Amino acid sequence: MQLWDILRKGVQDIGNVTTYCALDKENKNPVLSLNIPGFVAGDVGTMLDVDYNIACRTGLQCAPKVHEIIGTEKIHGTVRLSVGPFNTEAEIRKAITAVKEIAGLRK
């Protein structure tokens, strides 16, 4: 959860990124959902995968009703980054940098 919190704060500091259900790390699992305005979630996921070698999942993530509630169903869901037990802080910082660079394409 410490790594997730670094990821959450780093992504939220970018400014041109929307995160969902990530106000703090209490009662959470280590998954961060985000979108970059102007991009479809799948396109961000493809850039993270192809350009940065960062694995992620995009779309409605088997929860279309949740996406209706948070208003992301029309933009094809969110990008979901998961932090696992073998991730390092360097990998988290790489993910933050990647999201920042992609977000910078739409400023």
Side-chain angles (χ1 to χ4, degrees):
M1 288 308 298
Q2 290 174 317
L3 291 177
W4 178 84
D5 206 37
I6 292 168
L7 177 64
R8 173 186 72 89
K9 289 175 181 175
V11 167
Q12 289 175 339
D13 283 347
I14 295 168
N16 192 28
V17 177
T18 303
T19 59
Y20 303 90
C21 306
L23 296 176
D24 57 47
K25 66 179 182 175
E26 299 304 314
N27 300 314
K28 301 285 190 267
N29 58 31
V31 176
L32 183 68
S33 289
L34 63 92
N35 274 313
I36 299 173
F39 284 105
V40 174
D43 292 343
V44 174
T46 298
M47 286 185 270
L48 287 170
D49 178 32
V50 174
D51 299 334
Y52 297 93
N53 197 31
I54 295 173
C56 64
R57 185 166 180 211
T58 64
L60 301 178
Q61 294 108 13
C62 302
K65 293 292 183 190
V66 170
H67 289 278
E68 287 177 19
I69 292 168
I70 64 174
T72 57
E73 78 282 2
K74 288 184 176 37
I75 57 171
H76 308 288
T78 63
V79 177
R80 189 172 76 178
L81 297 170
S82 301
V83 179
F86 301 109
N87 286 117
T88 65
E89 186 171 338
E91 291 169 328
I92 299 303
R93 301 240 179 249
K94 177 183 174 185
I96 294 166
T97 298
V99 171
K100 183 176 184 176
E101 288 177 7
I102 294 168
L105 297 173
R106 290 291 184 204
K107 287 188 175 184

